[in-house]
Amino acid sequence: MTGLSDSFQRPIDYLRISVTDRCNLRCIYCMPAEGINLLPHEDVLSYEEIHRIAVTAAELGIKKVRITGGEPLVRIGLSSLIRMLAQIEAIDDIALTTNGTLLAQYADELKAAGLRRVNISLDTLKPDKFKLITRGGDFYHVLEGINAAGAAGLNPIKINVVVMAGSNDDELLDFARKTIEEGWHVRFIEQMPFNREFADSSFVPVNEMQERLAALGELEPSTVKGNGPAKYYRLPRAKGTIGFITPVSQHFCFRCNRLRLTADGKLRPCLLSEREVDLRHPLRQGISAEELKKLIKRAVDSKPRQHKLAQGCVPQDRPFSQVGG
Ligand code: SAM
Ligand code: SF4
């Protein structure tokens, strides 16, 4: 087999890059109200360092990149990183996951720099509730961001919704109607238990979501461009799709194709395992391209067969927002 594959013969061609652990929101399922202990600035990889890792990873077989965070758009000059990544010939897809609050400002320049697509996290269609879930965010900024991304041609735009009982599960049908009325691509995500107490009381499994959505008609299997684990469906007459992401109730580790680079330069083979390979120190000590390749391969080789969420194992070493979701 050409390209990268791990010890379980899974092809690895997708790199998720967290460019910052900073965020302008405090979503209840992701961060504590007081925020997290932030990485010192000098520990965060420069764009040049990220670019060097991406070039080497692309030589090994990485073809797709997603920029995430924290909130990636709070980092100054993100478009310049996109431009650098877009020049790597072997990388044919560059996407961004964002909370959308700053997207109206940057959508055009991101598109011009070479960004293809965006996923926007939006857990409610109600401004007051949005303020509660994000602890202070402005719903209308996200709406402006969605519209700006559409106008800039960052398609398909996918809306990520983490479903929480007693909080936004009453809006499942409203989000689903958006796929009919506005052609949105909505993805319902099972909550992962990073905030254990909250997740235990508010978890909604995907099969329950699907039962409730049946009120709007039969879900026909569908597809939409992407590299992730979502399974897509379409309601009768809908232009948009409904995706389901089931990290908890039906893990998708057997087809996992990704590596993650943390903002401080650790290559993490699995979101839900504490294993990581440090690239920052070797990079700053002048490592050769060949040695860097070996470290990337070491991370790939150490990719676990599957996560252990079902056994209650959640990584404790880093907040989720540092690994990049
Ligand atoms: N700030 C950006 C955003 O919110 O889109 C990017 C980083 S965020 C960590 C990436 C994704 O992880 C978001 O779609 C968010 O909803 C999701 N996420 C965060 N915590 C989660 C949890 N406990 N369970 C499931 N998804 C979660
Ligand atoms: Fe910030 Fe994204 Fe986490 Fe919300 S989900 S707190 S926007 S990093």
Side-chain angles (χ1 to χ4, degrees), residues 4-16:
L4 275 175
S5 59
D6 72 1
S7 30
F8 304 99
Q9 282 73 54
R10 291 173 294 200
I12 308 296
D13 64 356
Y14 181 28
L15 177 64
R16 293 175 71 103

Side-chain angles (χ1 to χ4, degrees), residues 299-316:
V300 171
D301 288 342
S302 71
K303 203 169 158 62
R305 180 194 289 269
Q306 67 181 70
H307 68 62
K308 299 204 172 107
L309 272 187
Q311 292 94 304
C313 300
V314 180
Q316 302 294 328

Side-chain angles (χ1 to χ4, degrees), residues 239-278:
K239 270 214 305 236
T241 55
I242 298 179
F244 297 99
I245 305 185
T246 55
V248 183
S249 70
Q250 301 159 27
H251 77 78
F252 32 77
C253 305
F254 55 88
R255 54 192 166 95
C256 184
N257 58 348
R258 59 195 58 190
L259 290 176
R260 292 183 155 79
L261 181 63
T262 66
D264 58 343
K266 315 286 169 172
L267 208 48
R268 203 154 162 129
C270 171
L271 173 67
L272 296 166
S273 145
E274 292 178 8
R275 291 179 196 173
E276 42 188 46
V277 173
D278 177 35

Side-chain angles (χ1 to χ4, degrees), residues 77-97:
L78 188 70
S79 302
S80 63
L81 174 67
I82 303 287
R83 193 168 302 108
M84 291 156 81
L85 296 175
Q87 281 162 9
I88 305 173
E89 214 175 302
I91 291 182
D92 59 23
D93 191 23
I94 305 177
L96 172 75
T97 298

